[in-house]
């Protein structure tokens, strides 16, 4: 982000927050890019409805209290967004959410993901449970959207995935690692509200195509080139999962040992 870096370098400080009036931006990869330039991030896991943010509550809060803290201002923004699409613009949005992330807690999430990736690699027998967890995790850009578009976006709730892994896994190391990711994510997500259509949205999503074919179709190699440096353990987990899945799903080979014939019936 050279333009943002130029501004922060000139100012000699980070932004108090960077907010995204745009879809699907409360994702781990985005946070990893924003963290060097801001203390907080305000964004949605889900698609943002066409009317976008309601800026009135935030402006009003700043006018009433110019010294308002960033977390409190963020809460006003989230509450205003939630109220807008729960009331006057209810028909404009089938699904919506918004949250505030404390970017100082990002390293804790990344450290926990390092441990999770290592635990998953050490427990190849849990591949089936991991796949089942992924298939049932809260997914974004799915309500009212084309299935192919949802697959191309491949964005799922990080904590919900870890919750399901913990409930399905029989490996204690993997269970502990998943619980640690959930705990670290809770530290990072300061405030979050979502529509009833997103019952398991918790505020931070992650890019997670369901299998290697979807990864390829979802421009996964571009994701790898852009985010492998900042999220190496997550990319390693994806590669390991897809590789093991490919091995376990190898086609059966039929070997013909002998052939016998019988006379045709009259």
């Amino acid at each position: 982000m050279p333009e943002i870096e130029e501004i922060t370098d000139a100012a000699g400080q980070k932004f108090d927050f960077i907010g995204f009036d745009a879809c699907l931006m409360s994702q781990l990869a985005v946070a990893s890019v924003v963290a060097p330039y801001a203390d907080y991030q305000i964004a949605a896991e889900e698609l943002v409805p066409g009317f976008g943010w309601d800026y009135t509550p935030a402006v009003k809060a700043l006018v009433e209290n110019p010294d308002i803290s960033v977390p409190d201002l963020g809460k006003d923004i989230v509450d205003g967004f939630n109220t807008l699409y729960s009331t006057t613009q209810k028909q404009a949005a089938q699904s919506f959410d918004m949250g505030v992330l404390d970017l100082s807690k990002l390293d804790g999430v990344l450290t926990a993901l390092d441990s999770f990736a290592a635990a998953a690699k050490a427990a190849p027998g849990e591949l089936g449970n991991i796949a089942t967890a992924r298939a049932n995790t809260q997914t974004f850009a799915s309500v009212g959207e084309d299935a192919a578009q949802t697959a191309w976006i491949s964005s799922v709730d990080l904590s919900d995935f870890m919750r399901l892994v913990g409930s399905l896994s029989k490996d204690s190391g993997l269970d502990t690692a998943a619980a640690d990711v959930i705990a670290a994510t809770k530290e990072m997500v300061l405030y979050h509200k979502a529509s009833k259509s997103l019952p398991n949205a918790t505020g931070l999503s992650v890019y997670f195509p369901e299998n290697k074919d979807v990864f390829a179709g979802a421009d996964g190699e571009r994701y790898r080139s852009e985010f492998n440096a900042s999220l190496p353990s997550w990319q390693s987990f994806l590669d390991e999962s897809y590789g093991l899945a490919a091995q376990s799903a190898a086609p059966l080979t039929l070997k013909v040992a002998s052939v016998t014939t019988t006379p045709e019936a009259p």
Side-chain angles (χ1 to χ4, degrees):
M1 299 178 72
E3 298 87 355
I4 300 296
E5 185 173 6
E6 183 178 344
I7 294 171
T8 54
D9 285 350
Q13 64 182 47
K14 293 182 178 183
F15 286 97
D16 287 337
F17 73 90
I18 292 178
F20 292 94
D21 193 346
C23 303
L24 305 162
M25 300 302 281
S26 192
Q27 193 176 93
L28 185 64
V30 176
S32 72
V33 173
V34 172
Y37 310 110
D39 294 325
Y40 299 90
Q41 176 177 321
I42 303 173
E45 293 183 274
E46 179 59 294
L47 299 175
V48 171
F51 288 98
W53 286 17
D54 182 357
Y55 290 87
T56 302
V59 172
K60 183 178 179 181
L62 280 170
V63 170
E64 292 177 351
N65 179 14
D67 296 321
I68 189 172
S69 69
V70 176
D72 286 342
L73 179 61
K75 289 179 181 179
D76 286 332
I77 293 172
V78 172
D79 287 343
F81 184 89
N82 186 74
T83 298
L84 178 65
Y85 293 107
S86 298
T87 55
T88 57
Q89 297 301 330
K90 187 174 183 179
Q91 299 303 315
Q94 299 180 61
S95 186
F96 57 89
D97 82 302
M98 190 64 64
V100 182
L101 302 179
D102 181 350
L103 296 176
S104 72
K105 305 297 183 182
L106 174 64
D107 285 346
V109 175
L110 298 182
T111 297
L113 276 178
D114 289 344
S115 297
F116 176 80
K121 185 174 183 178
E126 292 294 330
L127 174 63
N129 288 327
I130 288 172
T132 299
R134 166 59 183 87
N136 290 279
T137 298
Q138 177 71 68
T139 303
F140 301 101
S142 61
V143 178
E145 300 296 323
D146 180 80
Q149 180 72 7
T150 303
W152 187 83
I153 292 169
S154 288
S155 187
V156 303
D157 190 87
L158 179 59
S159 287
D160 190 44
F161 169 66
M162 294 298 171
R163 175 184 66 83
L164 291 169
V165 168
S167 68
L168 294 168
S169 169
K170 303 298 188 295
D171 184 89
S172 60
L174 189 60
D175 293 348
T176 298
D180 288 345
V181 174
I182 293 172
T185 303
K186 285 181 178 178
E187 289 288 319
M188 186 173 173
V189 180
L190 289 184
Y191 193 65
H192 178 257
K193 284 189 174 181
S195 59
K196 292 181 180 178
S197 58
L198 299 173
N200 294 311
T202 62
L204 184 64
S205 61
V206 69
Y207 176 74
F208 192 174
E210 198 159 356
N211 54 56
K212 67 174 186 177
D213 292 331
V214 176
F215 180 85
D219 210 5
E221 288 306 319
R222 178 181 176 183
Y223 177 89
R224 185 198 304 278
S225 67
E226 293 182 353
F227 298 110
N228 186 50
S230 57
L231 301 174
S233 62
W234 184 252
Q235 186 60 56
S236 175
F237 165 71
L238 294 180
D239 290 341
E240 189 77 13
S241 297
Y242 299 154
L244 288 172
Q247 294 174 28
S248 64
L252 295 175
T253 300
L254 179 64
K255 181 178 181 180
V256 179
S258 63
V259 176
T260 59
T261 61
T262 57
E264 292 186 5

